[in-house]
Amino acid sequence: MSGLPLDRPAGALDARGAWERLLRIRTEADAEAAGLLRDAHGRHRWTQDASAEADLLAERYLPLCLAGPRFTFAQLGQSLDGFIATRKGDADYVTGPEDREHLHRLRALSDAVVVGAGTAVADDPRLTVRACPGPHPVRVVLDPHGRVPPTRQVFTDGAAPTLWVVGAGSGHGQADGAAGSGVDVLVLPDSAAFAPRRLVHELARRGLGRVLVEGGGVTVSRFLHEGALDRLYVTVAPVLIGDGVPGLAFPGPDVMRDALRPPVRRAFLGEDTLFELDLRAPQSGEPLDGEHGGSGEGGGEGQ
């Protein structure tokens, strides 16, 4: 993801043009039509002169573009000591603006973006694409106990479709009242129906096969622990919070050889470091070329 040449001609494909092409890619045929061909080493390269930024975008996001119609991935931004917010819930901003742009690019490449009730209540996120060109995903709020107020932006701003997933008998009457303003309400029969794999299947039935799980730490950890994620992006900022809201939290193994060590790619996002973990690759107890990954679990859908 680094070491790209900077001496490209002024007429080269720029970052905006490259990104607009990447947004349209879902198959190898799409990639070829967009001007990306595999070289002798199997890596995709632009067939025309391209800027360093255009090369970087292709290297970073093309694997996600080509991941297929059913793919679940997650993103977390955290401090060096593993927190996504302070003890009072302040998360503005743990990571820098480059990571914000990265997150918005992930949204633009997804059909749906998922958050838990805790994130919807604490952060009041918009979950739209604003830091880069691209379509808004469907916003999915997991709210098994019906505790997210209908005044949150995802239910009121009308910027993108929203799916409010609530539990039966959980006070979802509030959700019914918001359903007429671009919000669809999905009532699930019991807590078992909120299991990550069942949720992913339900979203796919609605045509939402490419799913970004954005937060919070409990929700991402649960999807990870239950094997519902294909890829995990973790951005680590060079800041120490001390204590606060944890990112990935789970009961780990007794011995290190039982820890998950997925293949990993690294990149710099300003002062932050992005770790991209391939969770679909075969796992073993041995490090892969000296790289280290992680796994996690969280209880419930509080976030």
Side-chain angles (χ1 to χ4, degrees):
M1 293 188 184
S2 60
L4 299 171
L6 298 177
D7 53 343
R8 296 299 180 93
L13 178 67
D14 63 11
R16 184 180 181 90
W19 177 245
E20 289 174 351
R21 295 187 190 188
L22 287 166
L23 285 171
R24 299 192 295 268
I25 295 174
R26 291 296 180 271
T27 66
E28 286 283 351
D30 293 339
E32 183 174 350
L36 282 162
L37 294 178
R38 291 186 183 273
D39 62 17
H41 303 287
R43 301 178 67 180
H44 286 86
R45 299 293 186 186
W46 295 109
T47 55
Q48 71 177 91
D49 287 327
S51 68
E53 293 81 6
D55 283 338
L56 185 148
L57 288 172
E59 188 172 0
R60 184 172 298 161
Y61 297 107
L62 186 60
L64 183 56
C65 295
L66 295 175
R70 293 284 299 271
F71 198 77
T72 305
F73 52 106
Q75 159 77 6
L76 278 180
Q78 66 178 44
S79 64
L80 273 174
D81 47 354
F83 298 105
I84 60 175
T86 69
R87 70 170 73 93
K88 293 188 176 181
D90 180 21
D92 293 335
Y93 291 94
V94 176
T95 57
E98 294 85 358
D99 183 51
R100 176 176 178 270
E101 182 180 44
H102 165 66
L103 174 59
H104 283 230
R105 292 192 190 279
L106 295 183
R107 290 178 185 172
L109 293 173
S110 66
D111 299 323
V113 55
V114 175
V115 295
T119 295
V121 171
D123 297 344
D124 194 13
R126 296 170 65 184
L127 304 178
T128 53
V129 178
R130 305 182 303 281
C132 66
H136 301 314
V138 174
R139 304 175 292 190
V140 181
V141 178
L142 304 180
D143 190 15
H145 305 296
R147 65 189 183 94
V148 181
T151 54
R152 286 298 181 260
Q153 293 183 94
V154 290
F155 303 134
T156 62
D157 65 11
T162 298
L163 180 63
W164 198 346
V165 187
V166 299
S170 62
H172 61 270
Q174 287 185 323
D176 293 336
S181 57
V183 179
D184 288 331
V185 179
L186 173 61
V187 181
L188 297 182
D190 51 43
S191 60
F194 281 85
R197 287 184 176 275
R198 292 182 63 177
L199 287 167
V200 168
H201 178 74
E202 179 62 35
L203 293 177
R205 283 201 325 111
R206 292 171 170 257
L208 306 174
R210 295 170 61 88
V211 178
L212 167 61
V213 183
E214 188 170 317
V218 169
T219 300
V220 172
S221 295
R222 188 177 180 208
F223 270 74
L224 177 60
H225 173 68
E226 297 190 17
L229 291 181
D230 299 301
R231 187 164 299 164
L232 173 63
Y233 297 88
V234 179
T235 303
V236 179
V239 61
L240 298 172
I241 296 177
D243 66 359
V245 180
L248 298 175
F250 59 96
D254 292 332
V255 292
M256 281 301 302
R257 66 172 176 269
D258 293 333
L260 291 177
R261 300 182 187 270
V264 60
R265 297 200 302 168
R266 294 175 175 84
F268 291 112
L269 298 176
E271 294 185 347
D272 305 330
T273 303
L274 171 65
F275 296 84
E276 177 187 344
L277 306 175
D278 182 0
L279 301 173
R280 296 194 303 182
Q283 304 294 325
S284 73
E286 297 299 321
L288 179 73
D289 297 330
E291 308 288 19
H292 296 265
S295 174
E297 173 188 20
E301 289 289 349
Q303 294 189 12

